[in-house]
Amino acid sequence: RHVADFQLSIASVTEDSSSDCLAQDLHLQAQKLAERLKCDAVVREISAGPGTVNFTINRELLAKTVLQQVLKDGSQYGVKSELFSTVPRQKAVIEFSSPNIAKKFHVGHLRSTIVGNFIANLKVALGHEVIRINYLGDWGMQFGLLGVGFQHFGNKEKLKSSPLQHLFEVYVQINKAAEDENTKKLAKDFFRKLEEHDEQTLSLWKQFRDFSIEEYSRIYKRLGVHFDEYSGESFYHEKSQEILKTLEDKGLLQKTIKGTGIVDLSEKKDLSSFSTVMRSDGTSLYITRQVTHLYLAAAIDRMNKHSCDTMIYVTDKSQSNHFQHLFQILKLMGYDWAERCQHVSFGLVQGMKTRRGEVIFLEDVLNEVRSRMLQNMASAKTTKEVEDPMETAEKVGLAALIIQDFRGLLSSDYQFSWDRALQSRGDTGVFLQYTHARLHSLEQMHGNEQLTDVNVACLQEPDAISVLQHLLRYDEVLYRSSQDLQPKHIVSYLLTLSHLAAVAHKTLPVKGSAPELAQARLCLFQAARLVLASGMKLLGITPVTQM
């Protein structure tokens, strides 16, 4: 018995919405309605189920419409759907990744990087203009400490060749002496010189920043991520003083007994909710990274510079309060666009370790996933010789990381597992890549020609219909993800597509079938591969063609 394509629940359309409407009444109403409805060129069959009316689409029309659309639109399939026709094209600024120079690039930064990249990819695909910003932790007292550390332990050559590693080592070393009064004084002096634009100090700081960005860019490139702008706290430390003055002029800044500067955010103005924007010694809150007045300066500056429709911040959920406060203060300052700002938060990843221990640098994760994948590929019996095993291992490994990360709600924490992520069977990125490579080699084997005038009417088998029905729903999934910015809708869609395609690949052989049938099946598999590749690219995965 085949499954209907569409179903209408009678309860949802009857006037009598009271729950005591009996099941048999509903069934009766369903039967009556089904009898009154007529089939047409699109609907082939109408039947009643338990309280539902079921519609089956003309199979030939289904095959023809879906396959023509996919092959015609190519990578634009789904995006061109009328679901998006009323959505206005917008300009969005997305701030993501945002690591601290000289500190660990922890797993939270990795999450922010891949989630931000996904949101940017999705928005671009849907025709919006996107500016990708990386807001670096490149200012503050820790640079006083780092500067002193570098004068003691630094090495110009190492700074050039591996800046992130070297600055981290220097920072760890000088931190051991951080409590020492003399070190403290030197660090304060160094940072004061920085703030006063002392040439020599500034030039050293600039090297820290420039070399770090250079290395970050190289690593981001391995991830398939790029930024339009490397911003940072250093850009706003002066502008932020103006913000404090504005807050004061507007009567929004209050001083506590201890001299801390706060903004009252409560409805009743009883300080039941407030945000701290300045420490009592007049310096900003550099203790944490959530330096509210720096963020205020950055937000206002971006809005003036880019005049965008929306600003999206991608960070872990521990910063939710900080961003709620930020948006509230902007509104109090009279910036109505604060309502169009959004914080996309995500949960924590536990247990991501490399063989050498704790993850310190993003590169460690990339190297680890590549080497584990190479090992798996080498031991797999089905592996053909691939042209560039390193490159393939990296792309497949990245797919594994991304799918493991994107399978659930972004806000939930999850336990990371290398073994689970890298399984070749089951719902993993490896399985998606494997399916894509298999479908690709099927096309290669059978001439790879442009399929035109194919008689797709012969695609009547249930396994072919399942793939077609699923392809038809791609736009709905894109629409859902565009609404809530959650990648999981796309992930589960692609995993199902891969399972359906794998089944069809077994039961609907191309080789040895009559030419007309072979062509039609090839056309079906090509459409499945195109949609699979499109969805993978949105998630930030580069599809591989051999594996």
Side-chain angles (χ1 to χ4, degrees), residues 292-304:
T292 306
H293 66 307
L294 279 181
Y295 267 99
L296 288 167
I300 294 164
D301 177 61
R302 273 174 212 172
M303 212 44 167
N304 292 340

Side-chain angles (χ1 to χ4, degrees), residues 242-306:
E242 297 163 29
I243 298 290
L244 291 173
K245 197 176 171 331
T246 310
L247 287 171
E248 213 161 357
D249 295 345
K250 290 192 184 239
L252 295 169
L253 190 67
Q254 302 182 24
K255 288 271 169 71
T256 64
I257 302 165
K258 289 184 181 154
T260 312
I262 60 172
V263 176
D264 187 354
L265 300 171
S266 59
E267 297 259 320
K268 298 182 177 148
K269 297 290 165 230
D270 56 3
L271 287 179
S272 56
S273 162
F274 65 87
S275 177
T276 310
V277 291
M278 192 177 71
R279 287 216 324 254
S280 53
D281 58 5
T283 61
S284 45
L285 247 69
Y286 275 119
I287 314 170
T288 61
R289 228 190 107 202
Q290 297 136 357
V291 200
T292 306
H293 66 307
L294 279 181
Y295 267 99
L296 288 167
I300 294 164
D301 177 61
R302 273 174 212 172
M303 212 44 167
N304 292 340
K305 182 169 154 192
H306 297 298

Side-chain angles (χ1 to χ4, degrees), residues 37-238:
L37 293 168
K38 300 259 184 294
C39 292
D40 61 8
V42 177
V43 177
R44 185 183 82 180
E45 189 187 317
I46 302 170
S47 63
T52 60
V53 178
N54 303 326
F55 301 89
T56 303
I57 300 296
N58 171 338
R59 293 290 175 241
E60 289 182 26
L61 187 75
L62 175 74
K64 229 182 179 143
T65 316
V66 173
L67 296 179
Q68 268 178 356
Q69 203 65 49
V70 177
L71 298 179
K72 183 175 132 243
D73 292 348
S75 62
Q76 289 287 297
Y77 176 70
V79 172
K80 284 185 162 178
S81 157
E82 61 253 34
L83 278 179
F84 297 107
S85 58
T86 56
V87 179
R89 300 284 173 262
Q90 291 189 322
K91 185 175 187 180
V93 162
I94 305 176
E95 179 195 294
F96 61 105
S97 196
S98 307
N100 295 303
I101 287 177
K103 291 194 183 166
K104 293 176 190 175
F105 187 108
H106 57 73
V107 186
H109 293 126
L110 173 62
R111 264 204 117 170
S112 172
T113 308
I114 58 181
V115 173
N117 188 47
F118 158 69
I119 294 171
N121 289 346
L122 183 62
K123 293 231 173 244
V124 168
L126 297 173
H128 304 293
E129 187 186 342
V130 169
I131 293 144
R132 303 162 185 245
I133 295 183
N134 198 340
Y135 182 76
L136 299 171
D138 62 357
W139 200 250
M141 265 316 285
Q142 77 257 27
F143 280 90
L145 205 53
L146 186 64
V148 175
F150 196 80
Q151 288 161 347
H152 280 56
F153 313 110
N155 174 322
K156 284 266 159 103
E157 285 314 301
K158 281 186 182 168
L159 179 63
K160 263 207 181 80
S161 60
S162 52
L164 302 180
Q165 175 107 24
H166 186 53
L167 288 175
F168 177 71
E169 283 163 4
V170 167
Y171 194 61
V172 169
Q173 271 182 294
I174 191 70
N175 243 325
K176 291 176 188 157
E179 289 312 303
D180 166 58
E181 286 309 314
N182 187 35
T183 309
K184 270 188 188 166
K185 186 185 162 306
L186 289 171
K188 257 195 166 141
D189 288 348
F190 189 95
F191 188 55
R192 197 194 65 246
K193 281 184 182 165
L194 255 190
E195 297 206 287
E196 290 166 357
H197 297 282
D198 168 67
E199 234 169 84
Q200 216 177 344
T201 318
L202 211 55
S203 139
L204 183 61
W205 168 84
K206 210 172 145 4
Q207 283 181 32
F208 293 166
R209 190 179 191 278
D210 293 350
F211 287 138
S212 294
I213 288 178
E214 223 170 275
E215 189 165 0
Y216 275 134
S217 302
R218 184 178 60 74
I219 299 165
Y220 286 133
K221 201 171 168 182
R222 280 178 70 178
L223 268 174
V225 173
H226 72 276
F227 290 92
D228 301 302
E229 213 176 281
Y230 280 90
S231 173
E233 296 171 354
S234 59
F235 284 62
Y236 298 109
H237 65 97
E238 278 162 13

